[in-house]
Amino acid sequence: MVLIGAHVRGTDPVAEAARVGAQAVQVFLADPQGWKKPVRREDADALTASGLGIYAHAPYLVNVASTNNRIRIPSRNMIAQHAAAAADLGARGLVVHGGHVGDGDDVAVGIDNWRKTFERATFPVRVLVENTAGGENACARTLDRWAQLWDAIGGYDVGVCLDTCHAWAAGEDLETIVERLTAITGRIDLVHANSSRDPHGSSRDRHAGFADGTIPRELIAHVVREAGCDVVVETPAESQADDIAYLREALGL
């Protein structure tokens, strides 16, 4: 059964899920802007006993594509650490942004760094690589880049997270994004259902609630329906209940 969930912050994800009507939660396991190793959450037992679907999101600093050893090597370690912490919660996956190389670097090197990440380690939960919104040096922004990336990593136990705001910002056609992405990867494991504060093709990653954003909410529901997998809304906390209710009604769930 497809679960509709929410990215929740704060100290009580189970209560927050109940407040917004979520069947699943996505959580950070450490400071999303830091490099600290995750420690076991105080609410870990309550979270695993809740019956909610659980997804974890790696910190934003993680960038295994980087050509800089001081970023790439700690990033690989972070994925391993967060995957272990996610497995402790019984998580369905660990979302990791697709990353990028520096100005003047060859994106092919970053893509090969992704391959080496999976070649050199296995993880106790599936890593879900997420498309990103902007940057000519990004490894998972456009579908052309996705094709190159998947050629390198598709043979490993790796999944796909499709973010509607990021695809919109990258200038992709949301009417056909699911069909075109699955033609490359054969799978979509999770949808991040977000509207955008900015126009199509802006390259800006600024999420908005369905009622306030520039993406028609019917188009967001279309992507979720076509993908046929779990969905997490990462919209502002005050709009999540309405956004989840809309998706549930639109999908007949």
Side-chain angles (χ1 to χ4, degrees):
M1 185 182 73
V2 171
L3 302 181
I4 301 179
H7 181 88
V8 295
R9 300 177 185 263
T11 58
D12 195 341
V14 177
E16 188 63 11
R19 182 187 72 81
V20 301
Q23 302 160 306
V25 291
Q26 179 180 273
V27 295
F28 288 118
L29 301 176
D31 179 0
Q33 301 290 355
W35 292 101
K36 287 188 177 180
K37 181 178 179 180
V39 297
R40 195 169 195 268
R41 296 175 62 104
E42 293 182 1
D43 60 0
D45 292 337
L47 193 52
T48 54
S50 68
L52 294 166
I54 301 170
Y55 289 89
H57 198 301
Y60 299 128
L61 298 178
V62 169
N63 182 12
V64 298
S66 177
T67 58
N68 184 337
N69 289 346
R70 295 182 179 180
I71 296 174
R72 184 180 66 259
I73 294 172
S75 292
R76 288 177 180 166
N77 293 337
M78 288 277 277
I79 291 179
Q81 293 165 359
H82 282 256
D88 181 59
L89 294 176
R92 297 181 173 209
L94 172 68
V95 178
V96 180
H97 285 176
H100 58 275
V101 297
D103 291 341
D105 291 334
D106 187 348
V107 174
V109 176
I111 288 172
D112 195 53
N113 285 337
W114 263 113
R115 180 191 61 79
K116 291 175 182 176
T117 297
F118 292 110
E119 179 184 63
R120 297 175 180 181
T122 57
F123 304 104
V125 298
R126 181 172 287 126
V127 172
L128 309 180
V129 180
E130 180 179 357
N131 62 309
T132 51
E136 293 301 319
N137 300 324
C139 295
R141 178 175 181 256
T142 65
L143 292 195
D144 287 346
R145 288 281 169 78
W146 264 102
Q148 296 174 49
L149 179 61
W150 207 252
D151 279 347
I153 68 174
Y156 299 97
D157 185 21
V158 57
V160 175
C161 176
L162 171 61
D163 187 299
T164 55
C165 174
H166 297 175
W168 176 263
E172 294 288 351
D173 177 8
L174 294 188
E175 286 279 0
T176 61
I177 187 70
V178 171
E179 178 183 1
R180 291 182 295 120
L181 181 56
T182 54
I184 294 167
T185 64
R187 64 190 301 153
I188 296 175
D189 300 86
L190 180 67
V191 171
H192 281 170
N194 304 306
S195 194
S196 173
R197 293 166 57 186
D198 301 292
H200 187 252
S202 68
S203 296
R204 303 188 74 179
D205 179 10
R206 302 198 303 171
H207 296 183
F210 295 178
D212 303 319
T214 58
I215 307 176
R217 63 179 188 170
E218 298 85 357
L219 192 51
I220 299 171
H222 167 76
V223 171
V224 173
R225 186 182 300 110
E226 291 290 301
C229 60
D230 290 353
V231 54
V232 166
V233 298
E234 298 176 315
T235 54
E238 60 271 18
S239 73
Q240 286 183 341
D242 289 342
D243 295 341
I244 288 171
Y246 171 76
L247 285 178
R248 184 166 289 124
E249 180 180 2
L251 300 174
L253 298 176

